[in-house]
Amino acid sequence: MLTYEEILQIPPYSLNKQFKDKLLTEQLLELTRHHAQHCREYKNILDATKFAENSVRCIEDIPFLPVRLFKDLELKSVSDENIFKVMTSSGTTGQKVSKIFLDKETSALQQKTLVKIVTDFTGKARLPMLIIDSPSVLKDRAMFSARGAGILGFSIFASDRKFAFDEDMNIDVEGIQAFVEKHRGKPILMFGFTFMVWKHLYENIIKKNITLDISGGILIHGGGWKKLKDEAVSPHVFNESLKRVCNLSQIYDYYGMVEQTGCIYMQCEQGHLHSSIFSDVIMRRTEDFSVCDIGEKGMIQVLSLLPKSYSGHSILTEDEGTLLGIDNCSCGRLGKYFKIEGRLKNAEVRGCSDTYERR
């Protein structure tokens, strides 16, 4: 069986379904064994569901956990003294949050994996980075929110970085313009959560009539669309509006969650979200959890080869999506590609990683 370091040497979108399914089934089954041995709560769940290891023939047979369990249980497969950091999902006031326990090995592999995925879209060179957020989200380095984890993860692509807002979320117009001018002629990487980019950058640019020419810039954003859809801001309107006011040349959305940090699903030039060789998605029918056909909407199950310090390698989310195809996207990347349809009806109302409350 390949080690994870060996898998990292494989281009992230280069394996067809046959080879990828074999690799993932083998690796995910080994992770299932590992967590059953090192996490009592996970072992109890497998026993209660009468999981039989010899029943696994493909990735669809790997047992999954509902994402909400991470709010109620501490599903860690490492000792307390080996916990390097704890990441939390965002939530509105009073809601429980997921706690994800990382050791140094898992944290390091998350970063390496993120690099392999993102550089397939942006190139390998580090770029000046404009972070569409406030430095206050990075105050506690031992416990990160989804926003903080995202910023820290993407900061590894930065040759220089600038936060767009101050500690109180006021836009730093002069600082942004000076940063853009300092790196004039180079592509600038912009990163932020979707709602933050729209409400706190775009709307301020319009309201204050700010000039912000980031020609050749690349924007990567993610973290949920619900609030913007409520305001009738579609992905098309979002992209065209940001391109118009900033002269951006490339905008990439991505799908990801704190429960599987590192294995994000980047949106290609055709507007499709892609799974890499480090992860996969399965759409399941709500009535019986059977696997949906291509083109059929269902609950999204996400699988990742990364989680070793916690049992998050196979998770049933509360999101709905549609599998659009396998190995045949016109962007040329192999693997499954899909779209997000929204939240499941009657799913718990929660804050996405774009949650922001003014202090």
Side-chain angles (χ1 to χ4, degrees):
M1 188 168 72
L2 295 177
T3 66
Y4 198 85
E5 290 291 348
E6 289 171 327
I7 297 171
L8 279 169
Q9 303 312 308
I10 304 171
Y13 301 99
S14 63
L15 297 183
N16 65 25
K17 185 178 189 304
Q18 178 186 354
F19 287 102
K20 182 179 173 180
D21 281 0
K22 183 178 183 301
L23 172 71
L24 262 63
T25 302
E26 184 179 61
Q27 296 282 334
L28 290 166
L29 183 56
E30 181 57 33
L31 276 174
T32 302
R33 293 190 194 105
H34 169 79
H35 293 305
Q37 291 170 5
H38 294 93
C39 178
R40 184 185 61 187
E41 291 83 359
Y42 184 72
K43 176 67 161 59
N44 290 343
I45 292 168
L46 293 187
D47 290 345
T49 56
K50 295 181 170 56
F51 169 70
E53 190 178 303
N54 59 11
S55 67
V56 175
R57 298 285 183 270
C58 57
I59 61 168
E60 287 82 5
D61 297 331
I62 298 293
F64 55 78
L65 300 181
V67 69
R68 202 175 299 192
L69 271 186
F70 291 88
K71 299 180 188 298
D72 299 321
L73 300 176
E74 293 193 348
L75 295 166
K76 54 190 173 187
S77 298
V78 290
S79 59
D80 289 345
E81 57 266 28
N82 286 325
I83 293 173
F84 174 58
K85 68 172 72 166
V86 180
M87 297 195 301
T88 62
S89 61
S90 349
T92 55
T93 304
Q95 278 188 328
K96 289 182 179 180
V97 295
S98 297
K99 282 188 177 182
I100 305 303
F101 300 90
L102 302 181
D103 59 5
K104 286 187 176 181
E105 178 189 8
T106 304
S107 180
L109 291 178
Q110 285 180 343
Q111 285 207 329
K112 290 179 181 180
T113 303
L114 187 66
V115 167
K116 293 290 286 190
I117 292 170
V118 174
T119 54
D120 194 84
F121 293 81
T122 64
K124 293 185 178 179
R126 292 193 176 198
L127 302 173
M129 182 173 173
L130 180 62
I131 302 168
I132 315 303
D133 214 311
S134 161
S136 62
V137 297
L138 298 181
K139 279 184 176 176
D140 186 352
R141 290 294 181 118
M143 182 171 288
F144 279 113
S145 67
R147 273 170 61 196
I151 290 168
L152 190 71
F154 275 86
S155 290
I156 59 179
F157 304 108
S159 58
D160 186 15
R161 69 180 195 177
K162 165 69 183 171
F163 282 90
F165 310 115
D166 64 19
E167 298 278 347
D168 297 314
M169 286 300 298
N170 299 307
I171 190 167
D172 180 9
V173 177
E174 291 183 2
I176 294 172
Q177 290 174 334
F179 184 79
V180 171
E181 197 54 43
K182 176 182 176 182
H183 297 290
R184 181 69 60 195
K186 304 174 189 173
I188 290 178
L189 175 62
M190 299 169 62
F191 172 77
F193 290 98
T194 307
F195 180 75
M196 306 281 288
V197 172
W198 184 265
K199 295 298 291 184
H200 299 288
L201 180 69
Y202 173 75
E203 290 192 355
N204 266 309
I205 288 173
I206 298 302
K207 189 188 309 179
K208 300 176 186 292
N209 197 25
I210 298 168
T211 300
L212 194 58
D213 182 7
I214 311 181
S215 302
I218 303 167
L219 170 63
I220 297 177
H221 68 98
W225 280 93
K226 185 178 184 306
K227 290 182 181 179
L228 294 190
K229 284 181 178 175
D230 290 346
E231 298 182 24
V233 180
S234 67
H236 176 75
V237 168
F238 181 96
N239 288 357
E240 293 306 309
S241 299
L242 267 297
K243 284 180 179 178
R244 186 178 68 252
V245 300
C246 297
N247 285 333
L248 296 173
S249 60
Q250 299 172 67
I251 298 179
Y252 298 110
D253 192 2
Y254 74 88
Y255 177 64
M257 60 197 67
V258 74
E259 291 85 2
Q260 283 191 356
T261 299
C263 277
I264 63 171
Y265 301 85
M266 287 284 287
Q267 183 186 61
C268 74
E269 298 78 6
Q270 306 303 316
H272 303 146
L273 296 166
H274 280 258
S275 64
S276 68
I277 63 169
F278 312 107
S279 64
D280 216 339
V281 292
I282 298 169
M283 309 305 174
R284 294 191 179 272
R285 300 182 179 101
T286 54
E287 59 269 22
D288 59 3
F289 302 119
S290 57
V291 177
C292 296
D293 297 323
I294 292 175
E296 181 184 1
K297 183 168 69 174
M299 300 173 68
I300 301 175
Q301 177 188 351
V302 289
L303 304 108
S304 168
L305 302 187
L306 273 170
K308 192 173 181 184
S309 57
Y310 67 101
S311 47
H313 58 300
S314 178
I315 297 173
L316 189 67
T317 74
E318 294 176 346
D319 298 320
E320 285 186 304
T322 301
L323 182 64
L324 301 174
I326 306 173
D327 293 342
N328 60 358
C329 180
S330 55
C331 77
R333 295 176 178 90
L334 298 183
K336 292 178 183 174
Y337 58 101
F338 64 103
K339 65 177 179 178
I340 304 297
E341 304 286 0
R343 298 278 292 155
L344 278 166
K345 290 180 181 177
N346 303 320
E348 177 188 18
V349 176
R350 67 172 186 187
C352 292
S353 41
D354 56 22
T355 298
Y356 161 64
E357 293 181 13
R358 186 172 293 278
R359 289 174 291 278

